[in-house]
Amino acid sequence: MRELFSQLGQNLKNNKDAVLVTVVASSGSTPRGAGARMLVTEAGRLCGTIGGGAVEYKSEKMAQEVLQKKSSYTEHFRLYRNEIEDLGMICGGSVDVYFQYIPAGDKKVISLTETVEQLFKEGEQSWLITEITEGAGGALGIYGKRRGAVGMELPEEVINSLDNRPKVLTINGKTYYCELLVRAGRVYICGGGHVAQELVPVLARVNFRCVVLDDRPDFVRPELFPGVEETHLVDFARLNEYVTITEDDYVCIMTRGHANDRLAQAQALKTPACYIGVIGSAKKMAGVFAALRKEGFTDEDFKRITTPIGLDISAETPAEIAVSIAAQLIKKRAELAAIK
């Protein structure tokens, strides 16, 4: 989504029209989350996907017609079985695709794309809202937890309904498509070794924002971690001086040795992090916990720590361990979303 809006803004600044194509609903199912949008210009599809296959092909052709007619509308597709699978649908035999025409140089949308970039940089929980009322021409807006509504006025009913699931709402004669834009929370990875180097790109692909922390200069080079948001050279005994860990954040501890693991765990336990996971055997952790008890930590504190980290899939290599950790974080994120 970040790249899509970056390209949209640049395209509009370059005085080119664009069409934002969005899967907004389906009968008997829900729209796919990540990847439910694509950006189309006269040059064709620039960014994003709505699942590939026949529907995407047809939609790209239809977007070219929208560029000529300069008007927005919703198209209702009746799908065959293979097309349903293309779109990642659970069930149902139809899908609604909204074609939103955006004219070149649209200052309001350009400003909105700049706000999107700020939201991603700051990690503010926020939602993208598209008005898809038939015949209304379409409008884009954002709602951020801290900054409120940007780009359009939003009814309280829309704001109060926002959660982690995409949805279509009709309120006071207007129809809105709402979806999560930026999910609050980062994954702080203590230790930039082989597992971290495998873990960051896996997590980045499933929309976790990763920060790598290490006390060795050679292990905080960003090029080692494709998709990383930040890297920091730190003293593990003073993590709070480098980063602020909130209740939305995850901590994965995989430093090069017991001493640094203990320091990182002591720091993590002083934060409200929603997840603390540590690589290590039961024997290793018993020794670390014994040392932490001497610092005043209790068995109740240790219940917050997941160790060994990751789901039990008999992982052995760094790449396999990374998959097991990513799976556990996905599961944890889904559990937290269900609670909220």
Side-chain angles (χ1 to χ4, degrees):
M1 191 79 83
R2 185 176 189 175
E3 176 62 21
L4 185 148
F5 275 89
S6 175
Q7 290 204 27
L8 172 60
Q10 192 59 51
N11 195 78
L12 298 177
K13 290 175 185 176
N14 291 338
N15 206 35
K16 295 180 181 178
D17 295 346
V19 178
L20 198 54
V21 182
T22 307
V23 176
V24 296
S26 67
S27 95
S29 187
T30 56
R32 203 172 93 174
R37 293 177 183 264
M38 68 178 180
L39 178 64
V40 180
T41 69
E42 62 181 8
R45 181 171 65 88
L46 289 189
C47 186
T49 177
I50 59 170
V55 172
E56 183 168 294
Y57 176 78
K58 292 174 187 175
S59 294
E60 189 174 335
K61 297 297 183 185
M62 294 173 75
Q64 295 296 330
E65 296 175 8
V66 170
L67 287 169
Q68 297 299 317
K69 295 178 181 178
K70 303 184 185 298
S71 60
S72 305
Y73 72 99
T74 300
E75 180 70 20
H76 183 76
F77 287 94
R78 187 84 179 164
L79 304 181
Y80 295 103
R81 182 181 180 87
N82 65 313
E83 293 172 333
I84 294 169
E85 292 169 352
D86 282 341
L87 283 171
M89 311 299 279
I90 301 168
C91 59
S94 64
V95 62
D96 293 343
V97 178
Y98 186 64
F99 295 83
Q100 183 173 9
Y101 170 72
I102 305 173
D106 188 316
K107 292 182 180 179
K108 195 171 183 179
V109 176
I110 290 172
S111 176
L112 201 72
T113 64
E114 293 168 351
T115 300
V116 168
E117 180 60 25
Q118 291 172 3
L119 288 165
F120 273 100
K121 283 182 178 178
E122 296 168 10
E124 181 179 345
Q125 183 101 345
S126 50
W127 291 262
L128 181 66
I129 295 96
T130 309
E131 188 190 340
I132 60 173
T133 310
E134 202 63 34
L140 282 172
I142 289 170
Y143 182 80
K145 271 196 169 180
R146 293 195 300 270
R147 69 189 66 200
V150 179
M152 72 164 76
E153 291 186 12
L154 293 172
E156 285 298 317
E157 295 93 330
V158 171
I159 294 170
N160 293 336
S161 74
L162 296 173
D163 56 26
N164 294 297
R165 296 159 299 197
K167 62 185 61 179
V168 174
L169 302 168
T170 299
I171 296 167
N172 299 328
K174 293 184 177 181
T175 304
Y176 304 89
Y177 172 65
C178 313
E179 65 176 311
L180 190 64
L181 177 67
V182 179
R183 190 187 301 270
R186 292 176 167 88
V187 180
Y188 290 95
I189 302 172
C190 298
H194 295 304
V195 174
Q197 291 168 32
E198 296 285 354
L199 179 60
V200 170
V202 175
L203 289 177
R205 287 295 300 271
V206 291
N207 299 318
F208 282 100
R209 300 162 53 233
C210 299
V211 178
V212 174
L213 312 168
D214 207 302
D215 59 351
R216 300 166 291 177
D218 286 345
F219 287 84
V220 291
R221 291 183 288 122
E223 62 268 24
L224 294 175
F225 313 99
V228 74
E229 186 170 274
E230 298 174 10
T231 63
H232 295 280
L233 185 65
V234 303
D235 177 347
F236 285 117
R238 298 183 290 114
L239 282 184
N240 64 327
E241 296 180 14
Y242 303 90
V243 294
T244 300
I245 298 172
T246 74
E247 67 274 7
D248 294 314
D249 297 323
Y250 306 74
V251 180
C252 297
I253 298 172
M254 49 189 71
T255 75
R256 68 182 184 276
H258 297 3
N260 280 330
D261 278 359
R262 178 181 59 78
L263 292 173
Q265 286 176 69
Q267 295 294 303
L269 286 170
K270 294 174 184 176
T271 74
C274 66
Y275 170 94
I276 302 171
V278 184
I279 279 185
S281 65
K283 182 178 180 181
K284 170 186 171 182
M285 291 311 301
V288 171
F289 285 175
L292 288 172
R293 281 193 185 91
K294 293 178 182 179
E295 297 180 31
F297 292 100
T298 67
D299 287 342
E300 197 64 29
D301 292 318
F302 300 148
K303 289 179 182 178
R304 296 182 59 204
I305 295 176
T306 298
T307 186
I309 195 171
L311 297 183
D312 184 4
I313 57 172
S314 300
E316 295 182 359
T317 68
E320 291 173 346
I321 294 168
V323 170
S324 77
I325 296 170
Q328 190 168 67
L329 294 190
I330 291 168
K331 184 172 184 288
K332 181 67 176 180
R333 181 169 67 183
E335 292 170 351
L336 292 172
I339 293 170
K340 293 178 181 180

